[in-house]
Amino acid sequence: RSTGKMTTIIGSTIRQNTRSMHTDTFFMRKIQLVYECKVKYFRINVIRAIWPFATISAQLVILYYGRYSGLKFNGLILSKIQLKMTVKTFIDRPILAGVISVLIVILGIIGLVQLPIEQFPNIAPPTVRVQASYTGANAETVMKSVIVPLEESLNGVEDMMYMTSTATNTGTASITIYFKQGTDADMAVVNVQNRVASAQGLLPAEVTKSGVTVRKRQNSTLKSITLYSPDDTYDAKFLTNYMKINIEPQISRITGVGEVNIFSAEYAMRIWLDPTKMSQYGLIPSDIDKVLAEQNVESPTGTLGAESMNTFQYVLKYRGRYEDASEYENLVVRALPDGSVLRLKDIATVELGAVNYAMISETSGHPGANAMIAQTAGSN
């Protein structure tokens, strides 16, 4: 009996210890489960707090890189991003909604100051325009003597697609070269300038003397402006000269302006030859050109006493080209057999007129000067 009682007591003690161990294990598991739930709940809250900022960042990335077919992120191409956010999230979290609103306002202010206005791709191809003037020549002469040599030299320039040319009866030649999209406009101008320089020897002397201009510009017009006198105090020539001297240089210095074309005639010294008197003295227009080339020139005059032992050296000055109509009138054409002198005013009328009279510029019935502005390729 005593042995059996001792066995019963030991057995009940072992069962109590076993229950205590099971109870401790259950509480430990419960504590661990509660801890894991809290960690998971904390992670969920963190994700819910960060998710709006992540979605906004994704939207900004899509808006900025929208011109690409997909987004490269960690080696993956995401063609579409599903952004799911309910309104209840912002209702339940007013502070979060306020922070996001402030963030959007800040980003908007930064974008307003930093981002350019134009976000569209450059559709128009880069263009370079070559202009030359052959005074007194008609359109056919300009085409044969100016445009054809230039086109033969410009044909095949690097990255060129095609070119167009125009010749007018006022002696103006214009060639527009269109280049492939993405071509550097500055390098295109350099290449065209090199081709034009190689064709200088084939052009008439009058064309090379006046110069051949090469400029980068778009073919479309950016803006047109006009300058006129409401009370007709100034004529078109004065207004054109004022625009040429004071307005055109300032507009040309603006970034993005390729060229300013003034469609009015500026001042020029006009010599109107009398055919009857020219025939009487046996003169032709080339004789008058020779007189102007000999007597209306700019030349270096040098100095006196440069190599002597004198204390002073004298620098000679020459008045240069004439500027007044009366000075041109007194140019000597030839000496007559009776000892008198034939002057230019005896066979021609000299006046300060316009370069050409092919265009009449008016604004609201008043004399004016018009100009058109063209922009450069790739400018905003």
Side-chain angles (χ1 to χ4, degrees):
R1 291 180 181 177
S2 58
T3 304
K5 186 177 181 180
M6 182 61 66
T7 304
T8 303
I9 294 173
I10 292 174
S12 60
T13 303
I14 293 173
R15 285 194 297 271
Q16 289 180 2
N17 293 334
T18 304
R19 289 179 181 177
S20 177
M21 291 174 63
H22 284 295
T23 302
D24 295 340
T25 305
F26 173 75
F27 282 112
M28 291 297 293
R29 290 179 179 178
K30 186 175 181 180
I31 292 172
Q32 184 178 0
L33 181 61
V34 171
Y35 174 75
E36 292 178 355
C37 291
K38 289 183 178 181
V39 171
K40 292 180 180 180
Y41 183 74
F42 176 75
R43 292 176 180 175
I44 292 174
N45 288 340
V46 171
I47 294 174
R48 291 179 62 184
I50 296 177
W51 177 253
F53 298 97
T55 55
I56 293 174
S57 302
Q59 289 177 354
L60 294 176
V61 170
I62 291 174
L63 289 176
Y64 186 77
Y65 295 97
R67 58 181 179 273
Y68 299 104
S69 59
L71 297 176
K72 292 185 177 180
F73 182 74
N74 290 335
L76 299 177
I77 299 179
L78 305 178
S79 59
K80 294 182 181 179
I81 297 180
Q82 300 292 337
L83 303 178
K84 296 182 180 179
M85 181 179 294
T86 59
V87 181
K88 188 174 181 300
T89 304
F90 297 99
I91 297 176
D92 295 340
R93 299 174 178 273
I95 298 178
L96 176 62
V99 171
I100 295 176
S101 301
V102 173
L103 179 61
I104 294 175
V105 171
I106 294 175
L107 294 177
I109 295 174
I110 296 175
L112 182 63
V113 176
Q114 299 294 332
L115 293 180
I117 299 175
E118 186 181 28
Q119 285 291 335
F120 298 101
N122 295 322
I123 300 176
T127 57
V128 177
R129 188 174 184 180
V130 181
Q131 282 185 317
S133 179
Y134 195 2
T135 306
N138 55 21
E140 185 178 359
T141 304
V142 172
M143 179 64 68
K144 293 180 179 179
S145 60
V146 180
I147 291 183
V148 171
L150 288 175
E151 284 185 345
E152 291 177 353
S153 179
L154 293 173
N155 189 28
V157 68
E158 289 80 0
D159 296 328
M160 185 195 78
M161 293 191 300
Y162 62 94
M163 59 181 172
T164 59
S165 58
T166 305
T168 63
N169 286 325
T170 59
T172 303
S174 176
I175 301 176
T176 304
I177 304 98
Y178 296 84
F179 292 87
K180 296 179 182 179
Q181 185 64 40
T183 303
D184 189 359
D186 295 329
M187 289 302 302
V189 171
V190 173
N191 295 332
V192 172
Q193 184 67 49
N194 294 335
R195 295 295 185 96
V196 171
S198 63
Q200 291 284 345
L202 304 176
L203 301 177
E206 292 81 0
V207 177
T208 56
K209 184 177 180 181
S210 60
V212 180
T213 59
V214 179
R215 295 180 180 178
K216 59 178 181 179
R217 51 157 290 178
Q218 291 289 359
N219 199 26
S220 59
T221 300
L222 178 64
K223 188 178 183 64
S224 298
I225 60 175
T226 180
L227 179 68
Y228 71 99
S229 178
D231 55 356
D232 298 338
T233 304
Y234 305 102
D235 58 359
K237 294 189 293 294
F238 178 86
L239 296 173
T240 302
N241 186 67
Y242 183 87
M243 178 179 286
K244 187 76 175 178
I245 296 175
N246 299 288
I247 299 178
E248 181 187 7
Q250 298 189 27
I251 297 178
S252 301
R253 288 194 295 267
I254 298 176
T255 303
V257 173
E259 187 177 5
V260 180
N261 292 323
I262 299 179
F263 290 95
S264 303
E266 56 184 332
Y267 280 123
M269 192 64 66
R270 304 291 297 192
I271 300 176
W272 305 101
L273 301 176
D274 190 342
T276 304
K277 295 180 179 179
M278 293 279 292
S279 177
Q280 181 181 353
Y281 290 102
L283 298 173
I284 57 177
S286 60
D287 297 332
I288 307 302
D289 289 338
K290 184 178 180 180
V291 171
L292 293 174
E294 291 176 352
Q295 302 182 33
N296 186 36
V297 295
E298 290 281 356
S299 60
T301 55
T303 60
L304 291 177
E307 296 180 356
S308 64
M309 300 301 294
N310 296 331
T311 305
F312 299 101
Q313 294 182 4
Y314 299 92
V315 178
L316 302 180
K317 292 184 179 181
Y318 177 66
R319 59 169 302 162
R321 297 182 183 274
Y322 298 119
E323 299 177 356
D324 190 53
S326 60
E327 297 173 345
Y328 282 91
E329 290 177 346
N330 293 321
L331 291 177
V332 177
V333 178
R334 67 167 53 168
L336 299 178
D338 58 355
S340 61
V341 177
L342 179 65
R343 300 184 182 276
L344 187 60
K345 63 182 178 181
D346 298 330
I347 59 174
T349 301
V350 183
E351 67 174 0
L352 184 62
V355 174
N356 61 74
Y357 297 90
M359 179 179 296
I360 298 176
S361 177
E362 291 184 351
T363 303
S364 301
H366 304 281
N370 299 322
M372 289 188 179
I373 306 171
Q375 69 181 107
T376 58
S379 61
N380 186 349

